[in-house]
Amino acid sequence: MSYRVAIDTGGTFTDIVAIDESTGALAVTKTPSTPHDPSVALVEGVRKVARVGGFPVEDVAVVAHGTTTATNAVLQRHFHRIGLLVTGGFRHVLEIARQSVPDGYGNSYFWVKPERIVPLERVREVGGRVAFDGSELAPLVEEDVVAAAEGFRRHGADCIAVCFLHSYANGEHERRAAEILRRELPDAFVSISSEVLPEYREYERAMTTILDAFVKPYTRDYVLRAEAAVHGLVTKAVPFLIMQSNGGVISAAEVANKPITTILSGPAAGVLAASFIGERAGYRNLLTLDAGGTSTDVCLIEELEPHITTESRIDGHPVKTPMVDIVTVAAGGGSIAWISQQGSLKVGPNSAGASPGPICYGQGGTEPTTTDANLVLGRVPPALLGGEVPLDVDAARAAFERLGAELDLPVEEAAAGVLEIAAWNQTHGIRQVTIERGRDPRGFCLVAFGGSGPLLSAHVADLLEIETVLVPPNPGNVSAFGLLVSDIKRDLVRTFVRGEHELDAAELEAAWSALEAEGRDVLLREGVAEDRIQLRRVVDARYLGEAHEVKVPVGAGPLDEPRLAELCDRFHDVHDQVYGFAYRGHQPVELVNLRVQAVGVVHRPTIAPGGTEGGDATPVAMRPVYFDGPGWSDCPVYRRDALGAGATLSGPAIVEEFGSTTVVFPGWSVRVDDFANLIMERSR
């Protein structure tokens, strides 16, 4: 027997899921996270899930891990370690950045540009120049690189980013500069833009390379230490795979060399899990609602394919690397309710977090949160995690009595108002990935997970007129489960600017074939069998004269002139879908970047149907619960593991399980499918 183990590290708990590859049986558990060294909780998680699943740790065949090490490193802002090497004359690339002003400021008069991630004294110039077509205009001045290394040494910079002009077309100067830097600074971590992001737009390429260099010491140390710890526990060198931002996994060694690929990987696994779960349940168009203690992550999935973007930001810094297109809103179980200077009730963005946490946790929290509101209204039990975490109902109620007094509202209406605002905050996140992008949310199934995702999911669906909500079993562990169904992936890109009338199919095919060969080599090194490799082509294209591109998928097979014409024609359809208009026949198309995603298709586990058989739904208790409209009413409480396949019930009702609670609002009904999913449907 062999088991695949997935471990998702969170701020409070580390979630672990194991699957028996022969039977599809799942074992699920949690263990407290160890922020000082996440690998401690990782190893304990493997031990614990083996005990829960009743198998020896020696039977572990694969370990997949989702980590926030790179993200946390950036959020801590210890940027004094970074140095930047640029082409002569481009020392102010970060100072100039972009002319755009962030949304919400109206105009630049009210906006002060934040401090640069690398100050000018740690930005060094070198002689040498490459043209846009990759030809060398002037050789690299190696003496300048040596002098820059000495300057970095004096300033204590040991994370060095190299970003030369037009290196996406020819990276030879960057590679030679990196050799010199590693010779002069043997303990430094060096990243070059021609390897991290070989595409045009100097500022974004520089920032992405800087962040890659910066997180290297943190990520490399952690993933290699964690891999060694797992191998020591399992007593054999099992594959140790790390989740990337693009929704795929890759080996720890690859991540150590290019850690920027994990910079926003946290929620990606949950999206992959939602796609897998939705397909089994018979839904192909999905919206994810992944709500935790601090925030809610939402993503659009069409025909089981999550949307991918190459433009995102972390802590205000642009990151241009392929990632699952996730929108995050500040709406979680710890979101704090407060009153503005204008007297309006607000919820978030500040959060009580895990420490001190909501008032009801009794750990020193003093400000009312959405979790306190749910407790006051009877929607969550008086103890969480099967009784492990008792909640102080009286303290939470006292907080809402004070809040209600300020608003001249009864305590129940104050608490309900907080949850109404929280639901609208989550709704706003979904509107961003649907209505604002030309999609009608009413045509999608909402998949709710995370510890607090199922609490407001039916209400959010009401606000958006969504008819169906799916709540998977063990919703708090869905992201960990997603690691078990993620393929091995590597993304490659090359800038290739050509107007429609300049395109040559043979030249284009040669460029794409070179990228595919590189991607195939990476996967073969990862141990992927040749027959499990898929190569997917995408082109970034735009109308001539536009500043931004759309991504156009390219079918399989060699590119010839007729297929090239089809590609340009397909661009008009994609542009119309994204922006609502197209200039077919009136404006020429321009290709900008060629992309290849190399995919090593993993064996999908055959998950055994969950839950017990039988359709009876018998409540285990009755509890007063408050809902807008009916007010307080005795509400049946069900234990989820006692609901068999085919069971049905009507709202209002509460369904409780170890790590989460599902609230069935009035006007909604629930049925349990063969895989123990709760399928909530609007009954009015």
Side-chain angles (χ1 to χ4, degrees), residues 288-635:
T288 66
L289 185 77
D290 179 4
T294 301
S295 61
T296 297
D297 300 310
V298 300
C299 182
L300 180 74
I301 302 172
E302 291 186 292
E303 289 298 317
L304 303 176
E305 288 292 331
H307 279 208
I308 301 293
T309 183
T310 56
E311 297 183 8
S312 188
R313 304 183 78 86
I314 176 169
D315 201 28
H317 306 300
V319 179
K320 197 169 173 61
T321 187
M323 61 190 71
V324 177
D325 190 3
I326 292 171
V327 169
T328 300
V329 293
S335 294
I336 293 171
W338 54 287
I339 298 175
S340 71
Q341 291 181 344
Q342 293 75 31
S344 300
L345 178 62
K346 305 285 186 179
V347 180
N350 291 336
S351 172
S355 178
I359 291 173
C360 61
Y361 282 15
Q363 300 296 321
T366 59
E367 299 176 283
T369 67
T370 58
T371 294
D372 296 308
N374 275 302
L375 180 63
V376 167
L377 300 183
R379 298 184 188 179
V380 297
L384 301 179
L385 298 182
E388 292 182 17
V389 181
L391 303 180
D392 190 338
V393 180
D394 293 335
R397 187 174 181 85
F400 276 95
E401 286 175 348
R402 294 191 295 271
L403 186 70
E406 292 187 61
L407 297 168
D408 194 24
L409 290 173
V411 60
E412 293 86 0
E413 291 186 22
V418 166
L419 295 183
E420 179 74 15
I421 294 171
W424 274 106
N425 288 343
Q426 293 180 340
T427 299
H428 177 62
I430 295 176
R431 287 176 63 90
Q432 289 183 63
V433 301
T434 55
I435 295 171
E436 294 182 15
R437 300 182 186 178
R439 305 297 193 278
D440 186 344
R442 293 174 295 184
F444 291 78
C445 170
L446 184 65
V447 183
F449 55 97
S452 62
L455 285 169
L456 288 172
S457 57
H459 187 35
V460 170
D462 266 331
L463 296 175
L464 292 163
E465 299 182 21
I466 294 173
E467 297 293 329
T468 306
V469 177
L470 186 156
V471 182
N474 303 303
N477 289 62
V478 165
S479 289
F481 173 76
L483 293 162
L484 297 175
V485 297
S486 299
D487 293 321
I488 297 173
K489 293 181 181 178
R490 184 65 180 269
D491 289 285
L492 304 104
V493 61
R494 174 188 167 185
T495 290
F496 186 93
V497 182
R498 300 286 192 281
E500 182 175 356
H501 302 300
E502 304 174 285
L503 293 176
D504 178 80
E507 180 191 20
L508 196 55
E509 176 62 27
W512 249 318
S513 295
L515 285 175
E516 289 178 333
E518 185 179 348
R520 183 180 287 105
D521 289 344
V522 170
L523 295 188
L524 291 174
R525 292 199 303 270
E526 291 285 303
V528 179
E530 181 77 40
D531 62 352
R532 305 292 291 182
I533 294 176
Q534 295 180 358
L535 301 168
R536 302 168 183 171
R537 296 179 177 184
V538 173
V539 63
D540 296 350
R542 64 191 179 192
Y543 285 117
L544 190 65
E546 285 189 337
H548 296 282
E549 306 83 40
V550 296
K551 289 175 173 51
V552 183
V554 182
L559 196 70
D560 54 20
E561 293 298 336
R563 293 195 62 230
L564 182 55
E566 291 175 8
L567 170 60
C568 292
D569 190 63
R570 192 178 306 125
F571 161 79
H572 299 291
D573 295 331
V574 174
H575 195 280
D576 184 55
Q577 184 182 50
V578 173
Y579 294 112
F581 67 93
Y583 291 129
R584 182 182 274 105
H586 299 284
Q587 187 76 358
V589 178
E590 184 177 49
L591 306 191
V592 178
N593 296 311
L594 309 183
R595 299 184 184 275
V596 166
Q597 185 173 75
V599 181
V601 180
V602 301
H603 171 68
R604 292 288 189 274
T606 302
I607 308 298
T612 58
E613 295 182 358
D616 291 337
T618 303
V620 295
M622 300 292 290
R623 185 167 72 228
V625 179
Y626 183 92
F627 293 97
D628 285 332
W632 288 102
S633 59
D634 282 339
C635 190

Side-chain angles (χ1 to χ4, degrees), residues 154-226:
R154 288 197 308 269
H155 283 93
D158 62 353
C159 301
I160 313 300
V162 181
C163 185
F164 293 162
L165 191 66
H166 301 311
S167 62
Y168 55 83
N170 181 351
E172 187 57 38
H173 283 190
E174 285 193 348
R175 287 188 287 272
R176 178 56 185 154
E179 291 175 1
I180 297 171
L181 289 171
R182 292 181 179 119
R183 182 191 71 202
E184 299 294 320
L185 302 171
D187 295 326
F189 297 86
V190 180
S191 293
I192 62 176
S193 72
S194 53
E195 292 181 356
V196 173
L197 186 67
E199 62 179 275
Y200 89 135
R201 289 198 172 100
E202 228 64 27
Y203 170 62
E204 287 79 7
R205 180 156 53 90
M207 284 299 305
T208 305
T209 307
I210 287 167
L211 292 175
D212 184 78
F214 171 66
V215 302
K216 265 184 178 175
Y218 302 93
T219 306
R220 179 180 293 180
D221 176 67
Y222 171 65
V223 299
L224 296 182
R225 183 174 68 251

